[in-house]
Amino acid sequence: MAQIFSFDGVIPVVDPSAYVHPAATLIGDVLIGPACYVGPGAVLRGDFGRIQLLAGANFQDNCVAHSFPDAEVIVEEEGHIGHGTILHGCRVGKNAMVGMNSVIMDRVVIGENAIIGAMSFLKASMEIPAGHLALGSPASVVRPLKPEEIAWKREGTLIYQRLALESRQSTKQVAEPLTQPEANRKRVRAPAYDPLFIARLKQDAGLP
């Protein structure tokens, strides 16, 4: 289990179908919803305000979520937070994606199906319209997204949902590394995008 800490008597909540890596840290008022994935090194610090990942969201390796006092961080359903991102007192809309190593500041609202390019900086109170691409430091809204771009994003998020549902069985801590590779060493492959397989996994887990 991850490093879990209460704060002022408030204990994080993790849905049984979510996967939180043992090297992640959850503190205080943190709510992790169904089929969410939280990667190694991620820190969700709910000591100023609530941090919430809704169903099917992912929060990848070394991401940080924190908040301005009395504000909150919300990642809506199927939100996708790329490696090394910082979310601070903001809201990420349904099926939106924040690219790797981005910084999203207080009171930012990212609309549904929006994509934020990698290494972007979104200034406080910025609003990104639904279905648009924004990028840069400071970021600006560049253009509307094409339907195929939104579909591509959703496929990637569904793969992370599959990873969340399978990781309890497939991720195991070992005492020591091998000193050399085995003969005919197997390669780890990313799960194929298979919407029917993912739908079956979610149904088996009792998820919508």
Side-chain angles (χ1 to χ4, degrees), residues 2 23 27 32 34 38 45 54 66 77 90 107 112 118 127 131 141 150 154 182 184 200 204 206:
I27 301 170
I32 308 296
V38 177
R45 246 184 76 201
L54 299 183
H66 194 237
E77 292 89 344
C90 59
R107 300 180 301 279
E112 182 175 352
E127 294 193 16
V141 177
I150 295 172
R154 188 163 191 275
E182 317 94 306
N184 301 316
R200 285 195 299 272
D204 291 345

Side-chain angles (χ1 to χ4, degrees), residues 34-119:
C36 287
Y37 175 90
V38 177
V43 177
L44 296 92
R45 246 184 76 201
D47 51 9
F48 279 7
R50 177 165 292 175
I51 312 293
Q52 186 169 16
L53 306 184
L54 299 183
N58 66 75
F59 194 78
Q60 298 174 16
D61 319 55
N62 299 317
C63 290
V64 174
H66 194 237
S67 190
F68 193 81
D70 299 322
E72 57 187 6
V73 173
I74 298 177
V75 180
E76 296 184 19
E77 292 89 344
E78 299 192 340
H80 190 108
I81 311 302
H83 315 284
T85 291
I86 297 173
L87 301 182
H88 206 274
C90 59
R91 187 179 193 100
V92 178
K94 183 175 180 180
N95 197 46
M97 182 174 82
V98 179
M100 297 181 283
N101 288 310
S102 293
V103 176
I104 314 300
M105 293 300 292
D106 299 286
R107 300 180 301 279
V108 167
V109 177
I110 298 172
E112 182 175 352
N113 294 325
I115 293 178
I116 309 302
M119 300 184 70

